[in-house]
Amino acid sequence: MGLFDNVFGKREKVPNKDTKSAWVSLTTQDQLEEIKERSKERTQLIFKHSTTCGISGMTWRMFKDSHDWEEHCDPYFLDIHAHRDLSNAIASMYNVRHESPQLLIVKGGEVSFHTSHGAITDINIGDYL
């Protein structure tokens, strides 16, 4: 790993599939509809990530393994470069401005909380799940 990777991190397009990660890659419009419906029974979490942004990469690495998601919500990961259409659909569906990185918590069919950039790692996510 070079100095650039140590400072900015490697560009990750999807969560590490070699671990028992609960993160699901968000890749289809149908999944967005499922998230909205499932949020009526169980909290859903969406992490929007830019694979070309150092801040997004750092935030993703700090955030992804810092909590026990499976007990509290269903977490989804969106690569905004691969699926910008879905990022735009999220902004429209939930009436939130597109940002990256961005964390959205969906409950009862609505976004109950969202934040972006460094604020993602500053919050106590348990307060919103």
Side-chain angles (χ1 to χ4, degrees):
M1 184 180 273
L3 177 60
F4 183 83
D5 290 340
N6 285 334
V7 174
F8 297 105
K10 287 187 177 182
R11 293 181 180 157
E12 291 185 57
K13 292 191 176 183
V14 295
N16 184 352
K17 292 181 180 180
D18 297 330
T19 64
K20 294 183 179 182
S21 175
W23 291 92
V24 175
S25 292
L26 180 52
T27 59
T28 69
Q29 184 69 37
D30 288 341
Q31 283 177 294
L32 283 182
E33 297 301 326
E34 289 174 18
I35 289 169
K36 191 167 192 166
E37 280 305 307
R38 291 176 127 194
S39 75
K40 296 174 183 173
E41 302 294 325
R42 180 173 164 85
T43 302
Q44 306 292 295
L45 182 145
I46 301 170
F47 188 98
K48 293 170 46 180
H49 173 58
S50 168
T51 57
T52 60
C53 174
I55 292 171
S56 189
M58 179 181 63
T59 302
W60 168 243
R61 284 187 304 283
M62 291 173 66
F63 186 75
K64 70 178 178 173
D65 297 321
S66 63
H67 303 280
D68 184 8
W69 306 109
E70 293 181 45
E71 292 182 30
H72 308 288
C73 67
D74 298 326
Y76 290 85
F77 174 90
L78 175 62
D79 174 346
I80 64 163
H81 290 290
H83 302 286
R84 182 56 192 247
D85 59 324
L86 295 179
S87 181
N88 292 339
I90 288 169
S92 177
M93 178 183 283
Y94 295 114
N95 197 27
V96 294
R97 188 176 108 179
H98 161 77
E99 296 187 80
S100 160
Q102 187 173 33
L103 176 71
L104 301 103
I105 297 177
V106 184
K107 291 182 177 182
E110 302 292 329
V111 168
S112 62
F113 176 80
H114 66 96
T115 192
S116 67
H117 296 83
I120 293 171
T121 57
D122 290 341
I123 63 166
N124 179 2
I125 193 70
D127 293 345
Y128 303 98
L129 298 177

